[in-house]
Structures are given as C-alpha cells and as structure tokens.
Amino acid sequence: MSVIKNVHLKGKDFLSLKDFMKEEIFYLLQEAAVMKQNKIDHILTGKTLAMIFEKSSTRTRISFEAGMSQLGGHALFLSSQDMQLARGETLADTAKVLSGYVDAIMIRTFEHEKVETLAKYADIPVINGLTDLFHPCQALSDLFTIQEIKGSLKGIKVVYVGDGNNVAHSLLIACAKVGCKMTVAAPEGYEPDQEVVKLAKEYADQAGAMIEVTNDPVSAVRNADVIYSDVFTSMGQEAEASERLNIFSPYQVNETLVSYAKPDYLFLHCLPAHRNEEVTTKIIDGPNSAVFQQAENRLHVQKALLKALLI
C-alpha cells in the first residue's frame, strides 16, 4: 500500500471504529508499523494520559502506560473506586475536571454510554479501552497483526468462533471497513448485536467485503485465513460460566475444527485465554498461533493512536 498522508486526527475521540474512515484506519496501521521499528520517540513529552479503570486489565493498562512512557509522556492509573466517581460524582463533572489537568482520557468500563458521556463533556480526546459493546483498540491491533503476517487485509477471510461479544462487534466493524471477509460462528442466542451486524454489512458493501453470521462453526471456518477466539465467559458473566461452557463446547477451536481452514491459517485470541475451553493448548501454543505477537502489537497500535490524537 502507498504511504498515506494528510490524515488529521488530532483532538478526535476514539470510541468505536464506526467513526473512522478506511483511510484513517490504514493511516493508524501505517503509523503503528513505524512505532514498532522506532520504539522510543519522545514526541509526547509533557503530555499526560488519565486512565480510568472500572474493569481489571493486563494488556490495556500496561500497553497504554508503557506506550506513554516510551513516547515521553506520563500515564495516570485511576481506579474508579479511588475517585469521586465511587461517591456519586457525575461523569460529566469528572470529564470537565480532567480536561483541565490532562491531555487525554482512556477509560475501560462496562456500559458504552459511559464512554459516550465522558466524550460529550470532555474537551480532550477520549479513548475507549473497552466497553461491553466495543473494544476498538483490540480490533485495531488485530488488523495490524493480520496485515503484518499476511501482507494484506483485502479479501482475507477472518472467522470469529464463540460469543458474539464486544470483541466480535469491533472486529466486524474493522474487517468490514478494510475489505476483509468476516464470518461469526456463535450459538443460537449468543450471536452479535443485530444493529452492529447490520452496520457492518453496510460498510462491507461499500468496501466490496462480506459479513456473515452463522451457528455452524464448521461451515464458517472452511478456507479461513484467520481463526479468532475469545473466552466463553467474559467479565461480569461469571455466574453463567457452567451454562456457557456447555452451550459453547461445540465452538472450541481444536484440531478437528482448524482442519477445515487453510493450512497456513492464523490463530488469534485477544487474551486472557482459558486453555482447553475455547481453544486447545495445541492450537494456541502451536505454529499457527500469533497471540503473543498480537498482544505486543497493542503497544505499537496504541502509541500510533496516542500520537495521532495528541499531535
């Protein structure tokens, strides 16, 4: 792909990839590749990122914190329980206060409406580090990893197997915008949100891509270039764990299922993984797996995002 120039994202919020054009997505991927080659670049000296966590985190917290440090800036870890949010201060007031202290806000929370409210009242960029509806930072990293390994995104068949959750939603939007063919295989009643699927299909039509949802994992993974999995039970669903394990067991990514994919298929997982539940140890630790390269890429992609939003 030719070098993309004249893309201006300074001051923009990053709540969902719905709000980003294809060219802007490819620009961020291009910048991420530069960041991966040049890990230390103090372009954000004097900048501060506030990170609000209502959900626990490994990759999101560490990649943003390390990324700000490598770019010369500073990240503040803010547990919602340690803030006045826990005592009833509104998100609107919090957004206005933080806007006077820091240069951007990243929040990892439950309801997507919280991110939207924060963005509405903040005068600085707000980044969605994860909500129950979307996980755009993960999807951007997924695209970067696929492009890095496969050499291209156009026409790549990506198959997500499992719960139609926030990761599936963001991946649907991301793949549709950049021209991937994406199929989600989920049990009946656990398919992705219908409005998200409808929107993804509209983007796919514009990009010459394809979006499909099915209950049949075998038909889904036929000739797949990428097989993607996530835990069967996400944060906040622990009470459903036994029931979900039973319902989702036919959707385990194992040797039998991947035999229907292309021989050089790529296995991805947003992590953390529950080995021998949604994916067998042999697959996630096997030669087709790129889950740790994918995890590392969160750092490079988020540095590219921070640079684009703040410079």
Side-chain angles (χ1 to χ4, degrees), residues 1-4 22-36 138-158 171 174-175 177-180 225-226 228 264 266-268 290 293-294 297 300-301 304:
M1 176 177 283
S2 58
V3 176
I4 301 172
K22 178 181 72 173
E23 292 75 17
E24 292 174 327
I25 293 172
F26 276 115
Y27 173 77
L28 290 170
L29 299 182
Q30 172 184 286
E31 289 295 293
V34 174
M35 291 290 181
K36 193 165 184 175
Q138 180 65 55
L140 201 58
S141 178
D142 299 336
L143 292 183
F144 181 66
T145 305
I146 295 168
Q147 180 174 267
E148 188 176 46
I149 295 172
K150 294 295 185 181
S152 176
L153 291 170
K154 184 72 173 178
I156 291 290
K157 182 178 179 180
V158 179
L171 201 58
C175 285
K177 290 224 171 188
V178 301
C180 291
D225 295 292
V226 179
Y228 198 118
D264 65 343
L266 180 66
F267 177 75
L268 298 179
Q293 180 174 342
Q294 176 190 9
N297 284 338
H300 311 304
V301 166

Side-chain angles (χ1 to χ4, degrees), residues 32-216:
V34 174
M35 291 290 181
K36 193 165 184 175
Q37 292 298 315
N38 305 287
K39 292 189 176 182
I40 307 298
D41 184 351
H42 289 174
I43 54 172
L44 296 186
T45 297
K47 302 287 186 182
T48 303
L49 172 70
M51 306 187 302
I52 302 174
F53 287 89
E54 292 190 330
K55 282 190 172 185
S56 58
S57 169
T58 296
R59 280 148 291 277
T60 297
R61 176 182 176 179
I62 296 171
S63 56
F64 270 111
E65 198 162 326
M68 282 297 290
S69 177
Q70 290 177 15
L71 293 176
H74 183 66
L76 296 171
F77 172 78
L78 304 171
S79 167
S80 61
Q81 294 304 308
D82 296 332
M83 300 174 66
Q84 295 297 339
L85 282 170
R87 298 179 62 246
E89 184 167 33
T90 67
L91 276 168
D93 286 357
T94 300
K96 292 173 184 177
V97 169
L98 289 179
S99 294
Y101 294 153
V102 302
D103 300 282
I105 303 168
M106 187 283 295
I107 181 169
R108 182 176 171 93
T109 186
F110 293 88
E111 300 88 351
H112 190 72
E113 291 75 18
K114 287 187 176 181
V115 177
E116 293 176 332
T117 299
L118 200 61
K120 179 180 178 180
Y121 291 99
D123 296 327
I124 54 179
V126 172
I127 299 170
N128 177 5
L130 176 142
T131 66
D132 288 343
L133 185 61
F134 290 116
H135 196 355
C137 291
Q138 180 65 55
L140 201 58
S141 178
D142 299 336
L143 292 183
F144 181 66
T145 305
I146 295 168
Q147 180 174 267
E148 188 176 46
I149 295 172
K150 294 295 185 181
S152 176
L153 291 170
K154 184 72 173 178
I156 291 290
K157 182 178 179 180
V158 179
V159 180
Y160 177 97
V161 182
D163 190 14
N165 59 15
N166 50 2
V167 173
H169 290 161
S170 285
L171 201 58
L172 279 165
I173 299 295
C175 285
K177 290 224 171 188
V178 301
C180 291
K181 301 174 182 178
M182 183 172 174
T183 300
V184 174
E188 187 175 353
Y190 294 88
E191 299 93 345
D193 181 88
Q194 291 183 0
E195 289 301 312
V196 174
V197 174
K198 179 182 177 182
L199 194 59
K201 286 183 176 180
E202 292 175 5
Y203 295 144
D205 288 342
Q206 297 167 13
M210 179 194 75
I211 296 295
E212 180 185 19
V213 176
T214 179
N215 302 125
D216 183 357

